Amino acid sequence: MLRDSHCIISDSNLVRSGQNEAVGGDCSSLMFSKYKKRRMLYNGDVGSLLPTLYSSDYFTKPSIDELAALEMIDSGYCSRVPDFTIGRVGYGQIKFIGSTDVRWLHLDQIVKFDRNSVVVYTDEADKPPVGQGLNKAAEVTLTLKLRSLDAHSPELDRFGGILRKRADRQGAFFVSFDLSSGNWTFLVHHFSRFGLDDEEEEDIVMIDNDIDSTAEVKEFPAHSAGTVLSHSLPAHLGLDPVRMQELRALMFSAEEEYEDLNGSFQKINSYNKEQLKEDSPVINGKILANKTTLHGSSRKGRIQISSSPIRRPSQALLEYNLNNTDLSPSRDIFLSGQRKGLPLTRLTKVEGFRLEEKHQTPLSGGYSKNIVDAALFMGRSFRVGWGPNGILVHSGTPVGSPSCGLSSQVNIQKVAMDKTVRDKNNKINEGLVDLHFSSLMNLHKSVEHETSQLVHDSFKLKLLRVECSRLTLPEICQAYIETIEKAHDISELSTSNRVFLMHQVSIWALIRILFSERETNEQSNDDDREGMMLDTKDDSLDMDVEAKPFARRAEFSFWLQESVCHRVQDEITYLNDSSDLEQILVLLTGRQLDTAVELAAARGDVRLAILLSQAGGSVVSRSDMAQQLDIWRMNGMDFKFIENDRLKLYELLAGNIQDAFQVSSIDWKRFLGLIMWYQLPPDTPLSVVFHTYQQLLCEKRAPHPVPVYIDEGPLEEEEVDWNIGDNHDLAYYVMLLHANEDKNFNQLKTMFSAFSSTYDPLDYHMIWHQRAILEAIGTFSSKDLSILDMSFVDQLLCLGLCHWAIYVVLHMPYCDNAPYIQAKLIKQILCQNCEIWSSQEIQYQFIEELGVPSEWMHEALAIYFEYQGDLSEALEHFLRCSNWKKAHSIFITSVAHRLFLSSQDEEIWRITSFMEEHKSEIADWDLGAGIYFDFYILRSSLKEGDIMSEADPLGKKNDECRSFFTRLSESLLIWGSRLPADARLTYAKMSEELCNLLMSIPGLSSTAMVRMSCFDTMLIAPTPEDMRSSHLQSAVSDFTYFLSEIST
């Protein structure tokens, strides 16, 4: 999510996670109803008991608004706020230890932060007893103003010693001192004044942030409505917001300050009118330059100005520069100039937050690091934007970043969408790229497909859909498992990736167990008897229909044992050898009955071993054990004489798993196993087992099926946040899908989100395959999972696998609301990634094999080459994609004249002949490419040898040339400035060549008027002036000769 001062922007390309599903809806509804009832009291009861804080540079944690919300949800919260904190920006903070009653407190009057000191309850008469109100134990942090020192400076130890002694003298306990930030932290039991006095400030060599001592100074209190934001202007510039408030009070009239109190704006008078009349240097618009009054300071060496300067109109921030000598007040605030007489220290330039495009920023937790789009500088002129392959362009700074940057800088950042193919050294491993993507996609492509045609703009597109039966499902799942195991063998693989890979192996095995089918005896009668005789080991063909549910249950039980085996072994490793009963109890959670029986027999407890051997078996033995426990309770037996672990074993053998185990002490898979093995009858269908666990989960009597990265975590250095109601483990959703197979399953979006199997919200490389196979075998049908398809397409494009991205798009189901979405997406992929797929022959051929129209590929190449400036290649591809209008425009304005001037007449003739077949679709053909086409025809006719056989060759050719020259002139008018100078030169050379050919035609059979008409034709041709002058001289000469003949 990206925030700015105007709005909050969320991008669907950065956050590609599913909707969270709330668990325990009854409790949530109850809490929400209570919240709605209490919210109505905010303006009354809640508002009256909240603490008040009006100073703009003070803050609290939690904030006042957060306290109001918490009070509405939890009545009485303000009377017991844990670790309540109040502070002042640039001065420090106080964190009160334990619970604090903050009701009805006027925090502005109670807590006063000053330079290197803090006072709580300035008036001793108002101070409550120790331990009440804010007069209690707290951790105080004061921000000292120090000069820049090296971390190894010998003065650092001296500073620490002074601060330690000062804390001891004041009855405080010194905690730490941070030289880089200037934070001095100490603990106090109660409050008076704590901090440094004037002499100690001189010893520690404080930074002089005050103004020049020769200036006339008076201090005004700083008032402002609201709370100082962490992304305010001074904070972005690395300045002290409090100091900026003081400068603001010096430069702007106090009558202009307003504060919002209880919904109305009240005018704040920072000082009385008498002081204003006496001290102000501006009266009735006249400046009193000679009237000055010195006032004493409340602090040694500090002087205060008593002036209210004339306000000048502010300039745009981007117009400021350090070389400008204008000393307007606004320039001082932004530190863009140097104010004479008022020098400010630490005028260091902050470089801001910059990242190169190649920099990879992995996402942390469920979302990327939030980016603040500071419209403070640029307003609505710039917004965050997502480009291809995870490129993020913004003008912000990461929230919580230790460095402060200028928000006016535009930054380019690349989000890492390839974490799944990075090894433990955070480098891209080509082997992982092949196994995680190419190999899996080739496996998907090898499965049978059903095709359907989509017609778009007279182009046909083949949509694909996987065809798979439940009989062939085991083979497909096994093929996926083998591919994943190959990736697991890569030595450079990180630990977290190994866990995720083994989890995916477990998921594919679970899909095979729950959804595959076996042939029954009736189905196998028609099979080849000889083939059956050869495979005597495979007895699956002899299974009856009634036995299939029991076989599936047995396979699932074995899968569950294998899934929790490592958890059982880990717990036993940490147990002592003397705790045999506890070890047996742990073994039973993983159904390791053989080991548990051997352990009981080895310790001589034969009766327990016999009981354990019957665990999970007949319901009769469970009822006998439960009846025995009830008899003991009814007879008042003292269970203190029986070991606690033995009683748990008896409860478990009796089927009372809730009494045997606490919900928080066991993981969800083992708890599910306890339900199936020990609580429910052994012939219970799996769907009933899953629904029973789901019911217990809703009643909060079962552990939550947390995802693998939480269950096996932490797997990453950064802790992943997971709350109740977030995504559950993918295996749990697969079980629910099996249990609700005949009903509408409404958790598909949550099931196929990235967070159900990995902490990387941008990794969809395995979920897409699982969705495709499950949908192919008919477990569900949904056209509302486009977010899954598009997320996987983005991931493939970021790795440069454009051909596979198009393959995924072709598998998107047809949607009536967006019937041509596949065609549009393929065109966009081709255009945005043209450089990749066009340079790799494998990808180019694969896209052609998918049936993508070649016209779309040539259109993308044409746009790419046009952008790169290679207009000749762009023209060629525009011709191949039949974009005649664009091809004609490029040919006339950029290509034709270059080819003509380089004497490439054959190439011009090839291009114009190709376009001439479609001239009806081209506007201004006769005044564009048609000119070149007709030029070669006309030139060829003027050069023909049998021209003398015609009756009046000169007159006929003269008419043709006159018509052509007229078209040239009209072409120049139509195309205008779009034609470069070389194109005009080309027209001139055409005209010159045709004029010379026209002059070479014998005119013996033509009249004098025809010959003179030829000169008139040549004069209207778009030729240079010197050529026209030559033709005019020839015309005068011929006309003179004609007159002389007439006179004789």
Side-chain angles (χ1 to χ4, degrees):
M1 193 183 327
L2 296 150
R3 303 196 309 258
D4 57 27
S5 61
H6 298 289
C7 60
I8 298 178
I9 303 174
S10 60
D11 194 287
S12 63
N13 292 324
L14 191 47
V15 183
R16 294 181 173 94
S17 62
Q19 298 294 330
N20 293 334
E21 188 81 9
V23 178
D26 296 338
C27 297
S28 300
S29 301
L30 180 60
M31 181 174 290
F32 181 72
S33 63
K34 292 181 179 179
Y35 174 80
K36 289 179 63 178
K37 294 178 181 178
R38 292 174 181 169
R39 187 176 61 178
M40 300 173 62
L41 304 175
Y42 175 73
N43 293 330
D45 298 341
V46 176
S48 62
L49 59 85
L50 291 176
T52 59
L53 180 64
Y54 302 122
S55 299
S56 61
D57 49 349
Y58 281 75
F59 63 89
T60 62
K61 297 179 182 178
S63 66
I64 304 299
D65 293 337
E66 292 172 345
L67 287 174
L70 292 171
E71 180 66 28
M72 286 188 290
I73 297 174
D74 183 9
S75 179
Y77 181 85
C78 290
S79 64
R80 43 180 169 78
V81 180
D83 296 334
F84 177 73
T85 302
I86 182 173
R88 184 179 180 185
V89 179
Y91 284 77
Q93 68 177 27
I94 304 173
K95 183 173 75 173
F96 296 93
I97 300 173
S99 299
T100 305
D101 188 356
V102 298
R103 295 175 296 175
W104 309 294
L105 295 181
H106 300 286
L107 299 176
D108 301 87
Q109 303 175 10
I110 298 176
V111 181
K112 299 290 184 182
F113 278 92
D114 209 336
R115 181 185 175 92
N116 308 320
S117 65
V118 63
V119 180
V120 180
Y121 296 109
T122 55
D123 190 352
E124 291 291 333
D126 298 333
K127 182 184 297 185
V130 176
Q132 299 182 12
L134 300 185
N135 189 23
K136 55 179 296 187
E139 180 186 87
V140 181
T141 300
L142 294 178
T143 303
L144 307 180
K145 311 299 181 183
L146 302 174
R147 70 182 182 187
S148 299
L149 291 176
D150 186 79
H152 304 287
S153 174
E155 294 185 356
L156 179 60
D157 296 334
R158 185 173 68 87
F159 291 170
I162 294 175
L163 296 177
R164 188 182 298 274
K165 292 179 181 179
R166 178 58 179 171
D168 294 337
R169 286 201 304 269
Q170 294 180 342
F173 178 79
F174 178 87
V175 176
S176 65
F177 171 63
D178 187 3
L179 177 64
S180 60
S181 61
N183 289 338
W184 171 29
T185 304
F186 52 89
L187 298 176
V188 299
H189 298 290
H190 60 85
F191 270 99
S192 58
R193 182 187 183 279
F194 291 91
L196 301 176
D197 55 23
D198 297 339
E199 290 75 15
E200 289 167 334
E201 288 184 7
E202 294 178 355
D203 291 339
I204 298 186
V205 193
M206 296 294 167
I207 294 180
D208 187 10
N209 277 336
D210 297 326
I211 56 178
D212 191 276
S213 60
T214 60
E216 184 176 272
V217 188
K218 179 180 175 63
E219 184 177 8
F220 299 129
H223 296 274
S224 176
T227 305
V228 174
L229 299 177
S230 61
H231 57 277
S232 62
L233 178 60
H236 274 289
L237 295 175
L239 304 175
D240 184 358
V242 179
R243 182 59 178 161
M244 294 298 100
Q245 293 283 357
E246 295 175 356
L247 290 177
R248 183 166 178 256
L250 296 177
M251 297 174 183
F252 302 106
S253 175
E255 282 81 355
E256 299 176 3
E257 300 293 332
Y258 292 89
E259 187 171 9
D260 185 9
L261 294 175
N262 299 326
S264 62
F265 291 93
Q266 298 181 359
K267 192 171 182 179
I268 297 177
N269 296 318
S270 299
Y271 36 89
N272 58 49
K273 297 181 179 180
E274 294 180 358
Q275 289 178 324
L276 181 61
K277 292 180 179 179
E278 178 183 357
D279 300 332
S280 177
V282 182
I283 300 179
N284 297 328
K286 299 179 181 181
I287 301 178
L288 304 181
N290 298 327
K291 184 173 182 178
T292 60
T293 304
L294 294 177
H295 297 270
S297 173
S298 62
R299 188 173 315 274
K300 182 178 180 180
R302 181 164 183 171
I303 306 175
Q304 303 165 345
I305 277 184
S306 64
S307 61
S308 179
I310 301 176
R311 292 190 63 179
R312 302 181 185 178
S314 60
Q315 295 176 280
L317 174 62
L318 299 181
E319 295 177 359
Y320 291 166
N321 58 78
L322 295 175
N323 297 326
N324 193 345
T325 58
D326 182 16
L327 300 179
S328 65
S330 58
R331 295 183 67 251
D332 295 315
I333 293 178
F334 293 107
L335 294 183
S336 297
Q338 298 176 353
R339 183 181 176 93
K340 296 181 179 180
L342 295 176
L344 293 174
T345 60
R346 295 192 300 179
L347 297 179
T348 57
K349 181 180 179 182
V350 182
E351 290 297 331
F353 168 66
R354 290 183 176 180
L355 285 178
E356 298 295 334
E357 180 178 340
K358 62 184 180 180
H359 182 78
Q360 302 284 341
T361 304
L363 301 182
S364 61
Y367 303 93
S368 62
K369 293 183 178 179
N370 294 332
I371 305 296
V372 175
D373 176 18
L376 175 68
F377 282 95
M378 309 185 75
R380 295 183 179 272
S381 62
F382 185 84
R383 280 289 182 262
V384 64
W386 284 96
N389 302 337
I391 298 297
L392 177 64
V393 183
H394 62 90
S395 61
T397 342
V399 171
S401 175
S403 61
C404 182
L406 287 176
S407 305
S408 57
Q409 295 174 342
V410 177
N411 308 286
I412 298 178
Q413 188 175 4
K414 187 171 184 181
V415 179
M417 302 179 70
D418 52 6
K419 293 176 64 176
T420 185
V421 296
R422 292 183 175 272
D423 56 20
K424 58 184 178 183
N425 298 321
N426 200 29
K427 295 182 179 180
I428 295 180
N429 190 300
E430 294 299 332
L432 290 177
V433 174
D434 178 68
L435 292 173
H436 282 179
F437 293 93
S438 299
S439 297
L440 291 178
M441 296 302 290
N442 281 317
L443 177 58
H444 185 275
K445 186 173 179 291
S446 64
V447 181
E448 294 185 4
H449 282 73
E450 175 187 357
T451 61
S452 59
Q453 278 194 351
L454 174 67
V455 181
H456 177 59
D457 293 339
S458 72
F459 296 109
K460 294 181 180 180
L461 196 64
K462 291 192 304 182
L463 299 184
L464 305 175
R465 185 179 182 275
V466 176
E467 278 192 339
C468 174
S469 67
R470 302 200 176 202
L471 295 176
T472 60
L473 180 62
E475 299 177 2
I476 297 175
C477 292
Q478 185 60 33
Y480 276 106
I481 291 174
E482 292 175 357
T483 304
I484 297 173
E485 289 176 344
K486 291 179 182 178
H488 189 271
D489 295 336
I490 297 179
S491 58
E492 295 84 5
L493 202 64
S494 63
T495 303
S496 59
N497 280 339
R498 292 186 186 277
V499 173
F500 292 141
L501 289 177
M502 295 311 299
H503 180 256
Q504 293 300 333
V505 169
S506 176
I507 295 296
W508 282 111
L510 180 61
I511 293 174
R512 175 183 57 80
I513 292 170
L514 295 182
F515 299 103
S516 63
E517 295 289 349
R518 297 184 180 185
E519 292 184 0
T520 60
N521 289 334
E522 290 79 3
Q523 293 173 327
S524 61
N525 286 335
D526 297 334
D527 292 344
D528 189 358
R529 298 291 181 181
E530 183 178 357
M532 292 180 60
M533 293 294 294
L534 293 176
D535 191 7
T536 57
K537 295 182 180 180
D538 188 7
D539 57 353
S540 63
L541 298 178
D542 299 330
M543 183 177 296
D544 294 331
V545 177
E546 293 80 4
K548 293 171 68 174
F550 298 100
R552 193 185 307 277
R553 176 188 168 97
E555 290 180 354
F556 177 78
S557 177
F558 181 75
W559 175 87
L560 201 56
Q561 293 179 50
E562 291 294 320
S563 299
V564 302
C565 179
H566 67 285
R567 306 295 291 266
V568 174
Q569 297 301 324
D570 290 342
E571 288 192 20
I572 291 179
T573 303
Y574 291 106
L575 294 178
N576 298 326
D577 295 337
S578 59
S579 56
D580 295 334
L581 293 176
E582 189 174 359
Q583 291 184 22
I584 293 174
L585 194 63
V586 173
L587 289 171
L588 291 182
T589 61
R591 195 169 173 76
Q592 299 184 17
L593 297 180
D594 294 341
T595 307
V597 171
E598 292 177 0
L599 182 59
R603 67 191 301 268
D605 200 338
V606 180
R607 292 188 178 91
L608 179 61
I610 295 174
L611 291 175
L612 293 176
S613 65
Q614 304 176 46
S618 173
V619 180
V620 177
S621 60
R622 300 185 195 178
S623 59
D624 291 343
M625 179 61 68
Q627 185 177 2
Q628 182 64 57
L629 291 174
D630 292 339
I631 292 175
W632 286 350
R633 293 188 182 96
M634 291 171 58
N635 294 335
M637 179 179 177
D638 191 356
F639 289 99
K640 294 181 180 180
F641 296 99
I642 302 178
E643 301 99 317
N644 188 32
D645 291 333
R646 184 179 294 274
L647 284 176
K648 289 182 179 180
L649 284 172
Y650 290 162
E651 294 287 356
L652 181 61
L653 295 176
N656 301 325
I657 61 173
Q658 298 288 343
D659 297 332
F661 293 95
Q662 296 181 357
V663 174
S664 59
S665 64
I666 192 171
D667 59 277
W668 75 274
K669 288 183 181 178
R670 285 192 287 172
F671 191 88
L672 176 63
L674 294 178
I675 296 174
M676 184 177 69
W677 297 324
Y678 307 112
Q679 179 175 334
L680 298 177
D683 58 346
T684 304
L686 287 178
S687 58
V688 177
V689 175
F690 300 151
H691 283 308
T692 303
Y693 172 79
Q694 187 182 24
Q695 181 65 28
L696 292 174
L697 183 63
C698 294
E699 297 172 359
K700 297 184 178 180
R701 297 168 56 195
H704 288 273
V706 296
V708 61
Y709 50 88
I710 301 296
D711 195 25
E712 302 289 346
L715 299 178
E716 286 291 304
E717 295 181 357
E718 294 188 14
E719 184 178 354
V720 180
D721 295 330
W722 186 88
N723 300 313
I724 296 177
D726 291 349
N727 293 65
H728 295 148
D729 192 89
L730 181 59
Y732 174 67
Y733 291 117
V734 173
M735 297 175 192
L736 291 183
L737 185 63
H738 171 77
N740 296 269
E741 190 169 358
D742 297 333
K743 302 177 182 178
N744 186 22
F745 188 65
N746 57 3
Q747 301 186 47
L748 290 176
K749 286 187 177 181
T750 311
M751 173 181 179
F752 293 114
S753 67
F755 286 117
S756 62
S757 59
T758 174
Y759 61 86
D760 185 358
L762 303 178
D763 182 17
Y764 289 84
H765 81 280
M766 190 62 70
I767 304 178
W768 185 83
H769 293 273
Q770 292 160 349
R771 171 267 184 111
I773 298 301
L774 287 173
E775 190 172 18
I777 62 177
T779 57
F780 68 90
S781 179
S782 174
K783 296 183 179 180
D784 198 23
L785 294 175
S786 57
I787 183 65
L788 170 60
D789 297 316
M790 293 308 303
S791 299
F792 190 42
V793 167
D794 285 342
Q795 191 176 10
L796 290 168
L797 291 177
C798 287
L799 293 171
L801 304 176
C802 310
H803 56 310
W804 288 122
I806 295 176
Y807 178 81
V808 172
V809 171
L810 291 175
H811 281 78
M812 294 178 63
Y814 179 83
C815 182
D816 294 331
N817 297 329
Y820 305 117
I821 185 65
Q822 294 88 349
K824 294 179 180 178
L825 288 174
I826 291 175
K827 287 184 177 181
Q828 290 182 5
I829 293 174
L830 291 174
C831 288
Q832 294 178 2
N833 304 272
C834 183
E835 191 173 6
I836 298 176
W837 61 264
S838 63
S839 60
Q840 300 184 22
E841 188 65 25
I842 296 178
Q843 291 199 22
Y844 195 100
Q845 293 180 357
F846 188 87
I847 296 174
E848 287 183 331
E849 293 174 359
L850 290 176
V852 176
S854 60
E855 288 83 356
W856 295 358
M857 302 172 67
H858 288 298
E859 182 181 11
L861 288 170
I863 295 174
Y864 170 74
F865 284 115
E866 183 183 14
Y867 175 78
Q868 295 293 331
D870 192 348
L871 298 179
S872 298
E873 283 291 332
L875 171 62
E876 189 66 30
H877 290 289
F878 275 126
L879 291 173
R880 294 189 180 184
C881 69
S882 302
N883 192 338
W884 310 114
K885 181 179 178 180
K886 188 67 176 179
H888 182 253
S889 177
I890 292 179
F891 176 76
I892 292 299
T893 58
S894 304
V895 177
H897 57 271
R898 290 192 285 105
L899 295 176
F900 188 88
L901 295 177
S902 58
S903 301
Q904 300 184 39
D905 297 333
E906 294 181 359
E907 182 67 14
I908 296 177
W909 178 255
R910 182 188 67 83
I911 295 173
T912 54
S913 300
F914 194 62
M915 287 192 291
E916 197 270 341
E917 298 175 0
H918 306 275
K919 63 181 180 181
S920 59
E921 304 176 34
I922 303 174
D924 298 325
W925 162 263
D926 292 336
L927 302 180
I931 288 179
Y932 290 87
F933 184 78
D934 293 341
F935 166 75
Y936 289 111
I937 295 176
L938 181 57
R939 187 181 68 172
S940 177
S941 65
L942 292 175
K943 290 182 177 180
E944 290 179 357
D946 57 349
I947 192 173
M948 297 300 298
S949 60
E950 298 180 4
D952 186 10
L954 184 60
K956 184 178 180 180
K957 299 305 178 185
N958 177 54
D959 293 340
E960 293 178 358
C961 290
R962 178 181 290 273
S963 175
F964 184 79
F965 293 153
T966 303
R967 286 169 58 190
L968 288 180
S969 301
E970 292 177 357
S971 177
L972 292 174
L973 293 176
I974 291 296
W975 293 96
S977 59
R978 288 180 290 175
L979 289 178
D982 287 346
R984 299 176 183 273
L985 178 59
T986 298
Y987 282 7
K989 287 187 173 296
M990 284 183 180
S991 301
E992 181 181 356
E993 187 173 358
L994 292 179
C995 287
N996 293 334
L997 291 175
L998 184 61
M999 290 285 293
S1000 64
I1001 298 176
L1004 300 178
S1005 60
S1006 301
T1007 63
M1009 293 302 297
V1010 173
R1011 293 197 300 271
M1012 295 305 299
S1013 178
C1014 290
F1015 287 109
D1016 184 49
T1017 298
M1018 289 185 287
L1019 290 176
I1020 67 173
T1023 55
E1025 290 297 329
D1026 56 344
M1027 184 64 64
R1028 290 187 181 184
S1029 300
S1030 176
H1031 294 324
L1032 184 59
Q1033 290 178 3
S1034 300
V1036 170
S1037 176
D1038 278 13
F1039 185 70
T1040 303
Y1041 178 76
F1042 174 70
L1043 291 178
S1044 63
E1045 284 187 348
I1046 293 177
S1047 62
T1048 56

